[in-house]
């Protein structure tokens, strides 16, 4: 009882199918490169330079078009990304949570109050200006300052626009 050497199964270069011992064709080109084919149909299509990805019965076509894949492999569960809240510069996480939990009415009321405060500040500033005089101080020479010295009106200065 002697052990037999296991014959190697070849793969068809065109169709991708298994070629068992004693089957298939071996095609050798002039440049010396050898190709194993499952049958003469595969050899003929290869010689015609057909693309195996476009021929429905080849392994490459089936792989490209996802045919015969087990349903478990096909539909992998995608994990949803967890939201992570980081503190912004000057505002801590606790403060952010507090701001998020505020009601919209409270926020609008707060905003209106801030706007009123800003307007009052501007009013106070303007009244302080009026009481101090309001006009700009005249230049030291006594004459009003005039940019246009030559008398001619000078348009825009500079090159092409």
């Amino acid at each position: 009882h002697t052990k037999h050497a296991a014959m190697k199964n070849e793969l068809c270069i065109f169709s991708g199918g298994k070629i068992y011992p004693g089957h298939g064709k071996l095609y050798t080109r002039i440049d010396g490169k050898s190709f194993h084919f499952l049958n003469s149909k595969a050899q003929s299509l290869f010689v015609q330079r057909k693309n195996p990805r476009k021929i429905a019965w080849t392994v490459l076509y089936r792989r490209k078009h996802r045919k015969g894949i087990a349903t478990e492999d096909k539909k992998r569960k995608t994990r949803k990304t967890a939201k992570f809240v980081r503190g912004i510069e000057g505002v801590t996480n606790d403060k952010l949570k507090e701001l998020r939990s505020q009601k919209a009415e409270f926020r609008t009321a707060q905003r209106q109050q801030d706007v009123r405060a800003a307007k009052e500040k501007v009013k106070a500033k303007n009244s302080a200006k009026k009481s101090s005089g309001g006009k700009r101080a005249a230049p030291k020479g006594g004459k009003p300052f005039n940019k246009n010295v030559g008398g001619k009106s000078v348009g825009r200065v500079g090159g092409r626009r």
Side-chain angles (χ1 to χ4, degrees), residues 33 58 121 161:
K33 197 160 193 264
T58 62
K121 201 175 184 184
R161 284 198 168 75

Side-chain angles (χ1 to χ4, degrees), residues 98-110:
E98 190 181 303
L99 289 168
R100 280 227 173 89
S101 62
Q102 288 176 354
K103 289 213 163 66
E105 297 93 42
F106 177 76
R107 248 183 272 138
T108 52
Q110 193 102 27

Side-chain angles (χ1 to χ4, degrees), residues 100-145:
R100 280 227 173 89
S101 62
Q102 288 176 354
K103 289 213 163 66
E105 297 93 42
F106 177 76
R107 248 183 272 138
T108 52
Q110 193 102 27
R111 199 177 300 120
Q112 287 170 351
Q113 191 179 339
D114 290 346
V115 167
R116 265 189 242 114
K119 282 183 180 174
E120 283 173 22
K121 201 175 184 184
V122 169
K123 257 187 193 173
K125 200 175 180 184
N126 286 344
S127 63
K129 252 190 190 176
K130 280 183 183 175
S131 64
S132 69
K135 287 185 180 177
R136 279 196 335 195
K140 285 182 182 174
K143 289 181 181 175
F145 180 72

Side-chain angles (χ1 to χ4, degrees), residues 46-62:
F46 177 82
V47 172
Q48 291 173 55
R49 297 183 156 281
K50 299 285 186 198
N51 186 352
R53 285 166 191 84
K54 290 183 179 178
I55 291 161
W57 53 269
T58 62
V59 172
L60 286 167
Y61 175 92
R62 294 183 67 77

